[in-house]
Amino acid sequence: MAVAELVKSIAHTTDLRDTYVPGHRTCAGCGPALAYRLVAKAAGENTIFIGPTGCMYVANTSYACGPWAVPWTHAQITNGGAVASGIAEAFRMMIKKGKIQDKFPNVIVMAGDGGCSDIGLQAMSAMFYRGHKVLCVMYDNESYANTGIQVSPSTPYGATTMFTPAGPAIPEAKKHQMKDPMPIFLAGGHPYLKYGATASIGYPIDLMNKIRRGLAEDGPAFVHLHSPCPKGWSFPPERTIEIAKLAVETGMWNLYEVENGDWAHKKFSVMPKKLKPVDEYLQTQARFCHLQPEHVAKIQNFVNNRAKALGMEVPLPPAQ
Amino acid sequence: MPIKKKGTGLTAVADAWQLADIDVSASYPIRPYTAVMAELAKRIANGTMQCEMVHGEGEHAQFSIAHGASMAGARATTGSSGVGVTYAFETYSPIAGSRCPIQALVGDRTLDPPGDFGSEHTDCLTLRDNGWIFGWAQDAQESLDNSLMYFRIGEDPDIMLPQIVAMDGYFVTHIAQDYIMPDQDQVDKFLPKFNPKFRLDVKNPVIMGPQIEPEMGPPLEWDRHVVMTKVKEKIVEVTEEFGKVFGRKYAPFVEEYLTEDADMVFVLQGAHAVTCRSAIKYLREAGFKIGLCRLRWFRPFPDTALAQILTKFKVAGVIDTGTSYGAPCSGGVLSTEVKAAMSEVAGKPIIQSFTSGLGGETITHEEFFAMAEMMKQTLQAGKIIQGGTWVNFNDYHEGASQINAAKHEAAPSK
């Protein structure tokens, strides 16, 4: 594995060329758009993006144009992993045969939570299993956002979406706890997937370096990138970064890395001294405004259990 | 030197893919097409071929992998059968729409239920509206030759369309036959390297498949529509050149057999043509003036060729080896299309629909005889006696009884 050249500070990033450039129509305060910009900046110019259907396809490529200075291709929401596999192997084989003179590019799938962990899960798992040199970035805005905010496996318990409204019969709105792709992919079931990390747009340097570590791998890599969505989560657009950070501070989001496929010894890149109560986070977003104390307690309980399961040794708020 | 070989349609296509120096092939097992991938795997393991074989996790992935490889500029192939073909359905239009000329081998298989391994054309015909070019081969040799011709046509800068080399399951995919594997020099002379104008290239960044405004779509669809006309011209040109380079001459669109003096013809595609030809010999001895028209292409549909050819006959019996439930005139897809193609042609024959060979059954001599008999009754009556005949179900005996019934009805006293 090549050693990643790390980004040291925000000041350092001004030397890096942006390849995700203006010219799109994402919402004000869009978390995924910022995610794209930081990923592209970290990856550099020898990069090809695969964009399975999602908000970052619809909002970026409307009017037959797109905000990339590097090659980008659409994939179906189902098959980002498979299309990327084909691209990576085509480059490998054509370079090997001397048919092209290209330097092997960074192949990055920017898949939403649906395109990565729901309808696109099969293709992504197969891509990791086969060991193609592809980085999958799951930019997670916790819903199917391009279709107008519908529930996805990433939607937290208790959030309203178009498909999970709150009502007298279902007061908590979404009934299921979220699916976590990190252990699905990285707890040992995909032998060639050695590097995985969770990241957040609230921690840009950490995020960019995780992208670079992933790209330095000889095989596949996975970055699960928390990307708050003002429209979908119902919060004012100027609070995106604040909410991204609050997620980490409350344990609604955890920042860690898995290196060398060693799930048991994950490295926390940000470890809060203690977790704030989830209620502080829930109160920032109207998608949770209907929740009763018992629902909040359920979320606190889930978050506490997850923190313990991940091995976070920090004081946890009471789950009552 | 070309090599005389004994093999199946699948090994023959593996030969074509080896000669075409494909870069990526995506596999997933389903009978009966599977052996082409097993054959590739062997050749890659032996070092005979340099190709990356990606084991897809399903047919949807197979076609997606090949799609990605093609966008990167590679010559890529894949294949499937039956419900595998339909499982990949989402991918067909995006592949054709992004003008990625991948090649797929479809070894026909019935769609479930009831989980029959036998050959029916329904699997491949379901994707007829997605912008792929395809036709059926009747034997191993034609499978190999089609594969090379399809690459040449599909990858032409004026065309850029994906292709399906279709063949009947078992009859072509599994029966060992003699065929000739061409020489590499011949293939290199015939098939240029794949060199797309646009590919994923960081030195020349392009955006592929963006969202567009509603009014931007129809021009692209018009372009896909128009290119099919160009494909027809290209087929004529490439089939002729193929004959010159390899010494095997094919009719570009429709192969005719004993049609010179015929007043009736069978119209079909694929391997059943082999049995049909031998049945025709017996029918000729029995006094039937009957021949065969075998379609070599289904998309683009050879309507101009058919308009010229079929007007020579009085009755055309179109044999569908597949189903389209509720289709017009109780026919299958092929007969519906033949009827549509001939609808405004002056002097067209009476077109009769037959459904036969379902479930991978051989269409026997006896069944061809039965169809010929019914076509004869149509000829004599000057009109269709019974539309949409499923051979062995509502067959010609019923047709004959209807003639009798009609005769009685017409009689002055009952």
Side-chain angles (χ1 to χ4, degrees):
Chain A
M1 165 187 163
V3 178
E5 192 190 329
L6 299 183
V7 179
K8 291 175 193 70
S9 65
I10 289 285
H12 181 193
T13 65
T14 55
D15 299 337
L16 304 172
R17 188 183 162 205
D18 274 310
T19 59
Y20 179 82
V21 296
H24 45 85
R25 44 174 210 146
T26 58
C27 309
C30 174
L34 181 56
Y36 230 130
R37 184 180 173 199
L38 294 168
V39 170
K41 214 172 167 73
E45 291 174 50
N46 189 31
T47 298
I48 290 168
F49 279 113
I50 295 98
T53 307
C55 60
M56 285 295 97
Y57 160 59
V58 175
N60 279 320
T61 71
S62 315
Y63 308 110
C65 59
W68 296 280
V70 291
W72 176 94
T73 183
H74 176 233
Q76 301 309 112
I77 192 166
T78 45
N79 67 2
V83 170
S85 302
I87 291 171
E89 291 317 305
F91 273 103
R92 215 173 55 75
M93 191 44 75
M94 289 191 298
I95 290 168
K96 189 175 170 187
K97 287 183 179 178
K99 285 189 176 180
I100 53 171
Q101 308 308 316
D102 302 34
K103 188 180 160 219
F104 191 91
N106 298 321
V107 180
I108 305 180
V109 192
M110 284 291 280
D113 32 308
C116 184
S117 71
D118 201 16
I119 193 170
L121 176 67
Q122 175 173 309
M124 221 57 88
S125 168
M127 180 183 86
F128 292 141
Y129 144 73
R130 290 187 300 253
H132 306 288
K133 190 170 162 20
V134 177
L135 169 66
C136 168
V137 178
M138 171 171 157
Y139 71 89
D140 191 349
N141 59 1
E142 301 182 347
S143 69
Y144 285 94
N146 66 303
T147 39
I149 320 301
Q150 292 84 18
V151 68
S152 90
S154 278
T155 307
Y157 165 87
T160 53
T161 66
M162 272 175 66
F163 286 175
T164 57
I170 310 175
E172 73 268 52
K174 192 196 174 189
K175 291 189 289 187
H176 308 114
Q177 296 288 358
M178 62 178 79
K179 184 199 268 191
D180 188 354
M182 279 296 281
I184 293 175
F185 294 144
L186 277 142
H190 296 86
Y192 297 102
L193 182 60
K194 300 290 185 195
Y195 183 81
T198 56
S200 164
I201 55 164
Y203 300 82
I205 301 300
D206 179 62
L207 155 58
M208 290 176 80
N209 285 331
K210 283 170 174 167
I211 296 299
R212 289 194 163 189
R213 287 198 194 98
L215 289 172
E217 288 289 320
D218 290 332
F222 175 63
V223 174
H224 186 184
L225 177 45
H226 195 234
S227 310
C229 171
K231 183 186 170 209
W233 304 3
S234 300
F235 64 79
E238 68 274 15
R239 296 190 72 183
T240 304
I241 299 298
E242 178 196 339
I243 285 171
K245 287 184 172 170
L246 196 53
V248 173
E249 288 158 12
T250 54
M252 288 295 288
W253 190 252
N254 316 108
L255 287 175
Y256 61 95
E257 276 178 306
V258 176
E259 289 181 320
N260 305 315
D262 189 358
W263 176 254
H265 298 94
K266 53 188 81 61
K267 253 171 50 184
F268 283 86
S269 27
V270 174
M271 180 72 86
K273 287 207 174 62
K274 60 169 194 170
L275 293 186
K276 294 178 178 172
V278 292
D279 203 30
E280 279 188 38
Y281 176 77
L282 302 178
Q283 294 212 0
T284 59
Q285 301 154 53
R287 63 173 171 162
F288 296 117
C289 67
H290 57 283
L291 292 182
Q292 300 300 311
E294 66 266 30
H295 305 136
V296 175
K298 215 166 163 182
I299 296 173
Q300 187 67 62
N301 198 38
F302 177 81
V303 163
N304 289 2
N305 286 339
R306 188 171 62 183
K308 282 182 220 158
L310 287 173
M312 292 175 74
E313 290 165 358
V314 291
L316 304 168
Q320 290 305 312
Chain B
M1 282 288 288
I3 309 164
K4 280 187 182 170
K5 293 181 86 166
K6 199 176 274 298
T8 66
L10 299 178
T11 57
V13 169
D15 285 343
W17 289 357
Q18 179 186 322
L19 291 162
D21 187 28
I22 59 166
D23 304 301
V24 174
S25 194
S27 66
Y28 188 78
I30 185 168
R31 285 191 277 183
Y33 107 100
T34 317
V36 71
M37 291 299 172
E39 188 64 32
L40 278 195
K42 230 187 293 177
R43 294 179 193 200
I44 293 165
N46 292 341
T48 318
M49 282 178 77
Q50 241 193 342
C51 166
E52 185 62 37
M53 189 168 177
V54 185
H55 305 137
E57 73 281 7
E59 291 81 3
H60 189 280
Q62 276 184 280
F63 282 78
S64 306
I65 289 160
H67 187 190
S70 183
M71 286 192 286
R75 186 174 275 159
T77 67
T78 187
S80 193
S81 295
V83 289
V85 174
T86 49
Y87 184 68
F89 215 102
E90 185 198 21
T91 66
Y92 294 121
S93 184
I95 293 168
S98 58
R99 308 296 283 274
C100 283
I102 71 168
Q103 186 173 102
L105 185 164
V106 170
D108 296 306
R109 173 175 172 163
T110 57
L111 296 179
D112 292 354
D116 179 348
F117 291 138
S119 175
E120 280 179 20
H121 293 182
T122 320
D123 53 0
C124 203
L125 287 173
T126 54
L127 56 92
R128 67 187 180 276
D129 304 325
N130 283 268
W132 288 56
I133 59 175
F134 64 99
W136 268 264
Q138 64 170 352
D139 55 24
Q141 185 72 64
E142 194 178 15
S143 304
L144 190 157
D145 295 347
N146 277 359
S147 172
L148 295 174
M149 280 187 259
Y150 286 17
F151 276 128
R152 169 75 188 270
I153 295 164
E155 292 174 1
D156 189 293
D158 292 340
I159 309 293
M160 293 295 279
L161 285 176
Q163 324 102 46
I164 287 170
V165 178
M167 60 181 78
D168 293 80
Y170 298 91
F171 299 113
V172 182
T173 60
H174 279 65
I175 295 174
Q177 322 156 34
D178 293 321
Y179 70 89
I180 293 164
M181 179 182 178
D183 187 66
Q184 186 70 55
D185 288 343
Q186 287 176 305
V187 173
D188 292 346
K189 196 172 149 196
F190 175 74
L191 181 64
K193 290 194 177 354
F194 177 44
N195 187 20
K197 193 171 172 191
F198 298 105
R199 66 173 177 93
L200 295 170
D201 176 5
V202 292
K203 290 184 291 298
N204 181 27
V206 286
I207 289 168
M208 295 186 177
Q211 277 252 310
I212 50 176
E213 288 298 283
E215 71 270 21
M216 294 172 178
L220 296 174
E221 290 169 322
W222 167 253
D223 192 45
R224 287 167 73 178
H225 164 68
V226 168
V227 78
M228 280 291 180
T229 318
K230 284 194 206 158
V231 174
K232 288 185 193 173
E233 293 160 16
K234 207 60 79 176
I235 287 169
V236 174
E237 185 190 313
V238 169
T239 312
E240 200 187 320
E241 203 192 317
F242 186 89
K244 281 185 195 148
V245 175
F246 297 93
R248 280 187 295 283
K249 301 208 181 302
Y250 291 93
F253 295 108
V254 181
E255 179 210 280
E256 294 181 61
Y257 175 75
L258 296 183
T259 54
E260 252 175 44
D261 62 336
D263 47 25
M264 312 195 301
V265 278
F266 292 114
V267 177
L268 52 73
Q269 50 190 3
H272 292 294
V274 178
T275 339
C276 185
R277 278 193 288 267
S278 68
I280 285 172
K281 284 182 194 158
Y282 290 103
L283 284 165
R284 286 261 163 187
E285 280 169 22
F288 285 77
K289 281 160 75 181
I290 194 161
L292 162 68
C293 290
R294 180 175 71 88
L295 271 59
R296 295 219 330 114
W297 283 90
F298 188 82
R299 279 292 179 270
F301 196 77
D303 44 6
T304 315
L306 280 177
Q308 284 166 3
I309 294 167
L310 289 188
T311 42
K312 295 188 287 189
F313 317 111
K314 295 194 177 82
V315 177
V318 185
I319 304 174
D320 266 295
T321 310
T323 51
S324 177
Y325 304 109
C329 313
S330 303
V333 174
L334 182 60
S335 73
T336 309
E337 297 240 351
V338 171
K339 281 179 184 174
M342 298 301 290
S343 64
E344 288 174 36
V345 176
K348 62 174 178 271
I350 300 171
I351 300 167
Q352 175 130 35
S353 306
F354 295 107
T355 299
S356 188
L358 297 186
E361 293 281 358
T362 306
I363 305 177
T364 61
H365 280 178
E366 200 184 357
E367 286 159 352
F368 280 114
F369 299 161
M371 287 186 264
E373 179 60 35
M374 183 153 185
M375 286 156 71
K376 196 171 160 190
Q377 290 172 13
T378 302
L379 181 69
Q380 284 162 356
K383 61 173 184 180
I384 298 264
I385 300 157
Q386 177 188 282
T389 303
W390 282 46
V391 176
N392 289 340
F393 292 88
N394 57 343
D395 62 12
Y396 78 109
H397 299 295
E398 199 181 326
S401 65
Q402 282 180 12
I403 300 177
N404 280 333
K407 224 191 313 183
H408 287 302
E409 230 171 78
S413 60
K414 282 186 184 174

